[in-house]
């Protein structure tokens, strides 16, 4: 067990340092990095994913590369432009509806991203469930204009019922993320016809094989996205994307770019807008460099013990 602590390049999802645990096994390393506010029950599927990876229990790939988007945090327009230009991707996912910011801030960011990508690139936005139905409808229209056409908008509202209502009122496709990975019933999105795209994240949903079952049953096009992992965790997302029968959209797996360091010899970073399908090699020097302080190690050891204690035997 190795606890890592890596600063972020930019505040993202409200955090400035990414922490987690690497677990070793017969098949290699797996990453367990549930966000700090998650309780033991929420963190349990994340552990199943790490254990699956450490056991080497991944399905065979059907492709050798996975197209990816560059992720743009809720930075100013100039910063967004620079991130996209440096990202090496033809698709950009832009965070919007950040607390303390305005729709005007979001429009400026999206316009800058469109300028950086050029007319042929794809722009998608992610509101993380921040809007109510009316605000979502108005904001989507404004951002669609700013982008010169959005590919889709991810999780505009928190409730699945609200997603369905928004989907009936806008022309931009709707993607569901939290409504799948944090829902008691991930298939309610399908049953209510609330989304056009399913966003799947391997750690929150319990691993690659669990996600493949959801993808088959939910009956929607799938985008595989990250939970802000190191390259060890990203490799599990890549394994899922590589095993899906169809992959019509770029995936949100290029987020190692948001970290200031990594735990492997060669990070999973996009080349020509895609990630290679491989398992990166953990680097002992990097493990030492990114090792958490003793108090944070104790925190993660206690969290891990709580999850293992509470789950069924």
């Amino acid at each position: 067990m190795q606890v890592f602590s890596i600063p972020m390049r930019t505040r993202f999802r409200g955090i400035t340092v990414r922490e987690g645990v690497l677990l070793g096994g017969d098949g290699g390393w797996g990453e367990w990095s549930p966000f700090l506010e998650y309780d033991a029950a929420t963190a349990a599927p994340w552990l199943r994913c790490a254990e699956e990876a450490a056991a080497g229990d991944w399905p065979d790939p059907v492709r050798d590369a996975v197209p990816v988007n560059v992720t743009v945090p809720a930075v100013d327009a100039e910063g967004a432009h620079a991130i996209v230009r440096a990202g090496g991707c033809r698709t950009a996912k832009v965070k919007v509806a950040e607390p303390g910011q305005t729709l005007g801030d979001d429009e400026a960011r999206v316009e800058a991203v469109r300028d950086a990508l050029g007319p042929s690139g794809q722009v998608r936005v992610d509101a993380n469930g921040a809007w109510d139905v009316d605000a979502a409808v108005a904001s989507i229209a404004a951002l669609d204009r700013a982008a010169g056409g959005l590919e889709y908008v991810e999780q505009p509202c928190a409730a699945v019922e609200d997603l369905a209502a928004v989907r009936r009122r806008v022309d931009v496709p709707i993607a569901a993320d939290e409504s799948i990975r944090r829902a008691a019933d991930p298939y309610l999105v399908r049953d209510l016809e609330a989304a056009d795209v399913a966003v799947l994240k391997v750690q929150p949903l319990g691993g690659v094989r669990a996600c493949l079952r959801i993808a088959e049953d939910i009956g929607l096009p799938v985008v595989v996205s990250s939970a802000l992992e190191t390259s060890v965790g990203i490799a599990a997302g890549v394994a899922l994307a590589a095993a899906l029968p169809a992959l019509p959209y770029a995936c949100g797996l290029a987020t190692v770019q948001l970290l200031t360091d990594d735990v492997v010899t060669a990070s999973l970073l996009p080349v020509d807008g895609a990630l290679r399908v491989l398992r990166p090699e953990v680097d002992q020097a990097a493990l030492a460099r990114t090792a958490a302080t003793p108090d944070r190690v104790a925190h993660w050891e206690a969290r891990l013990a709580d999850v293992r204690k509470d789950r069924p035997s």
Side-chain angles (χ1 to χ4, degrees), residues 285-298:
L287 292 183
R289 192 173 61 242
T290 61
T293 57
D295 63 313
R296 299 310 298 161
V297 172

Side-chain angles (χ1 to χ4, degrees), residues 26-300:
D26 293 339
W29 291 87
E31 178 173 335
W32 183 62
S33 52
F35 293 108
L36 297 180
E37 69 270 22
Y38 289 176
D39 61 16
T42 305
W46 297 62
L47 183 56
R48 292 197 297 272
C49 178
E51 291 171 340
E52 175 191 66
D57 185 24
W58 286 344
D60 293 333
V62 298
R63 55 186 61 84
D64 59 12
V66 173
V68 291
N69 66 249
V70 60
T71 299
V72 181
V75 295
D76 62 21
E78 182 178 358
H81 194 280
I83 288 169
V84 173
R85 294 291 291 176
C89 301
R90 298 304 306 151
T91 299
K93 173 174 147 177
V94 186
K95 289 293 185 177
V96 296
E98 181 82 356
Q101 296 187 2
T102 67
L103 179 57
D105 296 326
D106 293 338
E107 290 174 287
R109 187 179 311 115
V110 167
E111 288 171 355
V113 167
R114 169 56 71 199
D115 183 71
L117 283 176
S120 63
Q122 297 285 356
V123 180
R124 54 184 69 159
V125 298
D126 182 5
N128 289 116
W131 295 318
D132 61 29
V133 172
D134 289 339
V137 172
S139 299
I140 290 168
L143 295 174
D144 190 42
R145 290 191 297 270
L150 289 171
E151 183 182 31
Y152 62 71
V153 56
E154 183 174 326
Q155 202 68 44
C157 304
V160 179
E161 295 80 1
D162 288 346
L163 286 190
V166 170
R167 184 170 179 258
R168 290 192 293 268
R169 292 176 56 184
V170 301
D171 295 327
V172 176
I174 301 298
D177 173 12
E178 289 91 341
S179 289
I180 296 173
R181 66 179 168 89
R182 301 200 68 181
D185 179 6
Y187 300 109
L188 189 59
V189 164
R190 173 199 62 196
D191 297 342
L192 296 183
E193 298 181 347
D196 303 279
V197 178
V199 178
L200 302 186
K201 297 181 177 179
V202 287
Q203 279 205 78
L205 291 169
V208 175
R209 294 188 181 277
C211 284
L212 284 175
R213 290 191 295 272
I214 292 171
E216 181 177 1
D217 292 343
I218 207 165
L220 293 170
V222 167
V223 170
V224 182
S225 193
S226 92
L228 207 57
E229 296 105 331
T230 71
S231 287
V232 170
I234 293 296
V238 171
L240 169 59
L244 288 166
L247 195 65
Y249 294 97
C251 291
L253 294 170
T255 54
V256 173
Q257 296 170 321
L258 299 173
L259 305 178
T260 60
D261 207 339
D262 203 358
V263 296
V264 300
T265 55
S267 294
L268 278 174
L269 296 170
V271 176
D272 296 329
L275 297 180
R276 291 176 57 206
V277 178
L278 52 78
R279 288 194 73 145
E281 182 180 349
V282 169
D283 178 36
Q284 293 302 315
L287 292 183
R289 192 173 61 242
T290 61
T293 57
D295 63 313
R296 299 310 298 161
V297 172
H299 168 88
W300 282 94

